[in-house]
Amino acid sequence: MAALAGGRWVLGVGRRHWGCWEVRKHNSSEWCRFIWSNPDCRLDGGFLNYLEGVFCTFPPRLLPLAVTLYALWLLYLFVILGVTAEKFFCPNLSAISTNLKLSHNVAVFSLTSPLHGVTFLAFGNGAPDVFSAVVAFSNPRTAGLAIGAVFGAGVFVTTVLAGGIALVKPFTAASRPFLRDVIFYMLAVFLTFLVLYFGRITLGEALGYLGLYIFYVLTVGPRCAGVSIHCSLLFSSPEMPTDAEEPESSGTNSGDYGEEYRPLLPSREPSLRILTTALSPLDLRKWRRKPWYWRLFKVLKVPVELVLLLTVPVVDPDKDDLNWKRPLNCLHIVTSPLLCILTLKSGTYGLYQIQGIFPVWGLVTLVGSALAIIIFITTTNEEPPKYHCVFAFLGFLASAMWINAAATELVNILQTLGIIFQLSNTVLGLTLLAWGNSIGDTFSDLTMARQGYPRMAFSACFGGIIFNILVGVGLGCLLQMTSSQLVVKLEPDSLLVWVLAGALGLSLVFSFVWVPAQCFQLGKAYGICLILCYLAFLCVALLTEFRVIRVSAV
């Protein structure tokens, strides 16, 4: 349960023996009443009450069906997070940085990669992981999810993914970037180990996490001054392999097929055609050329992309028209603010009635409609207005609200699955949440290695994940602090937390010793050892979770 002692938030890291976890010990006929009567069974935020659904809506004999549906919805939430971050959040962050004329060092830029043609920012790439961590840290009962996900993803990426790259394509690692990334990562892990050991994180320590990342960026930034593929992948991971060959357009199909498809003379398209074209997430030419598995994954993404296109504007500085779509952008003036208020606090603010009569969402709709009409009248389809950069900020905010909403649902459904299977949040974080957040990096980096870029893929393993642990833990705890509560108390009351921290530290030390000892020549022996290390860690973690391995003092 949430505890407040001496002005300190107490986050039960690794804890599973809280009130609602006991529901499975009761008779199935009492499940629904237990859920309704126990305050610990109230999920914070979110639009769906997963606990009520599985224990009240579904009869006990259909529990396997409920779990299956929840698992499918969990996978789809990962798709929503990935699509939102890749096609909407990252491009708008790039546009904001370009309009503010921030340098690469300040903006934490990664240069445009020829493999995917999109400029990413570190925050954009790690947005799903960081939002998941922040949402998990916001509730003392789910803090274990954040710790498990941060450490679990670290172990997975630095063992399975790094080892897989070495197996796919033996190569010679870049010595200085590798040593720099591993040393910074070990510092981050050591800092987190100290925080868990002392059971608290102060304001200075939370700021220290963020400061360490800024220092890391400053040490990397100067090397990114020249066009370097390594730097572009250090802060970002390319798309899924299904899309890596040919980047898709998130806003329109026009102008994306090369010079041969462009008309010789410019023509004025009617607004209705511009709107329908801009809202089409499917490129028929590409559809015919792609294999069946690409088409299957695209079908799953189309509903998400359509809703996002309706609610999130995207500004593209690389296009002549900056991706200005007059009818759609005018529609965004209404839909984006409406989305923000209806997703904030699960719509609580949006449904609030002014003077008990007029709802807030109605007022936002009226104001947005008036602005949209004014913009439509005063602009043209052919040329973006001078204030078009404002749409990048609006798109950034709207996509951030989408990611936050999806991350909240993700944390709630994992918490529900933990109650159903009587698993701790930590083990769910190090398995399902960590795997889900890492699956995109895994496929794309392995594909990159097969295409002959193993050094870049290997650099992405160690460089990109530093952001997740430093900003995820630092920002997650910082947002829990107030003027009267400047200490967040962590309670690692599970041996599994120490297994996680120890496994991540050992994997980093192993690479730190092995790679220089082999003169930075990475082959199949290195890859096999790393994968065996992860399997051993997973076995120890599961045995610890099921109390086969335990320490009496813990």
Side-chain angles (χ1 to χ4, degrees):
M1 295 179 61
L4 185 61
R8 302 179 177 184
W9 280 108
V10 180
L11 302 182
V13 181
R15 176 175 294 172
R16 66 176 175 180
H17 295 290
W18 45 287
C20 198
W21 191 79
E22 304 289 330
V23 63
R24 292 298 303 276
K25 295 183 178 180
H26 290 71
N27 189 281
S28 59
S29 60
E30 301 176 356
W31 285 353
C32 187
R33 184 173 60 184
F34 184 90
I35 293 295
W36 277 101
S37 61
N38 196 324
D40 285 337
C41 294
R42 296 172 185 169
L43 300 177
D44 293 338
F47 293 93
L48 300 176
N49 191 327
Y50 299 102
L51 284 173
E52 181 182 337
V54 73
F55 291 113
C56 297
T57 304
F58 284 88
R61 66 179 181 276
L62 294 181
L63 183 62
L65 175 61
V67 172
T68 302
L69 293 176
Y70 281 12
L72 294 175
W73 175 233
L74 179 68
L75 293 176
Y76 203 67
L77 285 172
F78 282 116
V79 173
I80 295 175
L81 286 172
V83 171
T84 307
E86 172 192 338
K87 296 182 178 293
F88 296 86
F89 192 78
C90 294
N92 280 313
L93 274 177
S94 173
I96 290 173
S97 300
T98 301
N99 281 288
L100 294 179
K101 295 181 172 58
L102 297 179
S103 68
H104 286 187
N105 295 351
V106 176
V108 200
F109 256 100
S110 62
L111 300 174
T112 303
S113 168
L115 291 178
H116 47 75
V118 180
T119 301
F120 281 92
L121 302 181
F123 185 62
N125 178 59
D129 300 348
V130 172
F131 271 94
S132 299
V134 170
V135 170
F137 269 121
S138 65
N139 187 341
R141 295 176 306 203
T142 57
L145 275 174
I147 294 295
V150 169
F151 279 132
V155 177
F156 181 85
V157 169
T158 57
T159 55
V160 174
L161 184 50
I165 293 171
L167 286 174
V168 169
K169 190 81 171 179
F171 66 101
T172 302
S175 57
R176 288 184 179 180
F178 169 77
L179 293 176
R180 177 199 61 222
D181 294 343
V182 171
I183 290 173
F184 269 98
Y185 203 179
M186 288 193 294
L187 285 175
V189 173
F190 180 71
L191 181 58
T192 307
F193 181 86
L194 290 179
V195 166
L196 292 174
Y197 178 79
F198 290 108
R200 55 154 180 75
I201 181 170
T202 63
L203 176 62
E205 290 167 340
L207 293 176
Y209 272 91
L210 303 179
L212 183 59
Y213 181 72
I214 293 175
F215 181 62
Y216 168 72
V217 170
L218 294 177
T219 61
V220 175
R223 295 186 178 275
C224 291
V227 177
S228 166
I229 298 178
H230 164 71
C231 290
S232 70
L233 296 175
L234 183 60
F235 292 112
S236 65
S237 59
E239 295 178 346
M240 295 288 288
T242 53
D243 289 340
E245 303 172 7
E246 199 172 347
E248 289 183 78
S249 169
S250 60
T252 180
N253 295 333
S254 61
D256 293 332
Y257 312 119
E259 295 292 337
E260 65 272 20
Y261 293 108
R262 295 181 181 178
L264 294 177
L265 297 176
S267 60
R268 294 189 175 184
E269 291 184 291
S271 297
L272 182 59
R273 183 175 179 181
I274 294 175
L275 179 63
T276 55
T277 303
L279 286 176
S280 175
L282 192 61
D283 178 0
L284 294 180
R285 291 187 179 95
K286 181 182 291 187
W287 176 270
R288 297 188 189 100
R289 296 194 302 265
K290 293 296 183 178
W292 66 269
Y293 54 83
W294 184 94
R295 297 183 184 183
L296 178 62
F297 188 61
K298 185 64 178 179
V299 168
L300 294 176
K301 293 196 300 181
V302 161
V304 179
E305 293 177 349
L306 180 60
V307 174
L308 288 169
L309 287 171
L310 277 169
T311 55
V312 183
V314 177
V315 177
D316 189 352
D318 296 328
K319 291 186 177 181
D320 293 335
D321 62 353
L322 304 178
N323 200 37
W324 166 250
K325 309 300 174 188
R326 176 171 165 241
L328 180 58
N329 288 143
C330 291
L331 182 62
H332 287 150
I333 297 296
V334 180
T335 58
S336 293
L338 200 58
L339 164 76
C340 293
I341 65 166
L342 291 179
T343 55
L344 189 64
K345 292 293 183 181
S346 303
T348 302
Y349 296 147
L351 298 177
Y352 177 78
Q353 293 188 341
I354 302 173
Q355 298 293 328
I357 300 175
F358 200 71
V360 173
W361 66 265
L363 177 63
V364 171
T365 303
L366 287 177
V367 174
S369 299
L371 289 175
I373 292 173
I374 294 173
I375 293 174
F376 190 84
I377 294 174
T378 58
T379 58
T380 63
N381 291 334
E382 291 75 24
E383 185 177 353
K386 294 181 179 180
Y387 53 83
H388 185 226
C389 60
V390 175
F391 284 88
F393 291 90
L394 183 62
F396 163 76
L397 181 61
S399 56
M401 296 305 298
W402 268 115
I403 293 176
N404 182 69
T408 302
E409 299 298 321
L410 190 70
V411 169
N412 286 344
I413 199 170
L414 286 174
Q415 186 178 352
T416 301
L417 292 175
I419 294 171
I420 294 174
F421 294 107
Q422 298 187 331
L423 297 173
S424 69
N425 287 325
T426 305
V427 76
L428 289 171
L430 73 91
T431 53
L432 295 180
L433 189 53
W435 294 339
N437 287 334
S438 303
I439 189 170
D441 294 340
T442 301
F443 282 115
S444 57
D445 287 351
L446 290 179
T447 300
M448 198 190 321
R450 292 193 193 97
Q451 293 174 348
Y453 303 97
R455 179 181 292 188
M456 294 182 291
F458 189 73
S459 298
C461 292
F462 289 91
I465 203 164
I466 293 176
F467 173 81
N468 297 343
I469 186 171
L470 290 177
V471 179
V473 178
L475 185 61
C477 291
L478 188 64
L479 292 179
Q480 305 312 311
M481 298 179 184
T482 63
S483 57
S484 59
Q485 301 161 1
L486 297 179
V487 175
V488 174
K489 192 173 181 181
L490 303 173
E491 290 188 352
D493 56 355
S494 170
L495 178 62
L496 185 57
V497 176
W498 302 112
V499 171
L500 265 172
L504 182 54
L506 288 175
S507 70
L508 293 173
V509 171
F510 174 79
S511 294
F512 184 71
V513 174
W514 177 291
V515 176
Q518 297 296 317
C519 298
F520 298 93
Q521 300 286 334
L522 304 182
K524 294 186 177 180
Y526 174 72
I528 293 174
C529 288
L530 285 181
I531 293 176
L532 290 177
C533 287
Y534 184 78
L535 293 176
F537 152 73
L538 200 58
C539 290
V540 172
L542 293 177
L543 291 175
T544 303
E545 169 67 15
F546 294 111
R547 304 302 176 100
V548 177
I549 299 176
R550 53 182 164 179
V551 178
S552 58
V554 178

